[in-house]
Amino acid sequence: MRAAHSLRATTVGAKRAGHSVYVVLLHNPARAEPWGLYVGQTSRDPDLRFDQHKAGYRASGAVKRYGVRLLPAMVKHLNPLRGWEALELEAGLAEEFRSVGVPWVAGGH
């Protein structure tokens, strides 16, 4: 999605850049618009963090119940980065997805 590629990180690959932003594809057939995105940030490997969500450990309810898979291609140009910027980009990505019309965006806090 072009929305994610419009954002840039200034600390990509910098010293102590140990955080990542990640996007999860969501699917809930009970919703009028069943497909959505969850945006998060972590100091762990995003694959591990996704598994933690699915197992219920510090989980987003949306990812635990409706998470289908990670979408790493959307954010690979942003990772790894510093923690402060991961927090900013998490919110920025969620807002960008909403602004381009993604009907269901979770996370991004």
Side-chain angles (χ1 to χ4, degrees), residues 3-105:
H5 290 285
S6 69
L7 297 175
R8 295 283 173 250
T10 60
T11 61
V12 171
K15 200 180 255 188
R16 297 188 314 265
H19 284 71
S20 297
V21 289
Y22 61 96
V23 178
V24 176
L25 178 65
L26 304 172
H27 184 251
N28 178 356
R31 291 179 64 102
E33 296 285 346
W35 294 97
L37 299 173
Y38 173 86
V39 181
Q41 65 86 26
T42 184
S43 62
R44 296 178 165 85
D45 178 87
D47 289 315
L48 171 63
R49 186 65 189 107
F50 177 74
D51 292 344
Q52 289 175 330
H53 278 293
K54 296 303 281 182
Y57 177 73
R58 297 184 58 147
S60 154
V63 177
K64 183 177 179 186
R65 289 188 295 277
Y66 309 117
V68 176
R69 67 181 183 92
L70 286 171
L71 299 173
M74 283 190 168
V75 292
K76 72 178 181 180
H77 68 289
L78 300 172
N79 296 321
L81 65 162
R82 295 226 150 133
W84 65 267
E85 192 167 30
L87 289 168
E88 288 181 5
L89 282 174
E90 176 189 21
L93 277 166
E95 183 55 38
E96 190 67 23
F97 291 144
R98 289 181 189 104
S99 75
V100 297
V102 175
W104 175 25
V105 179

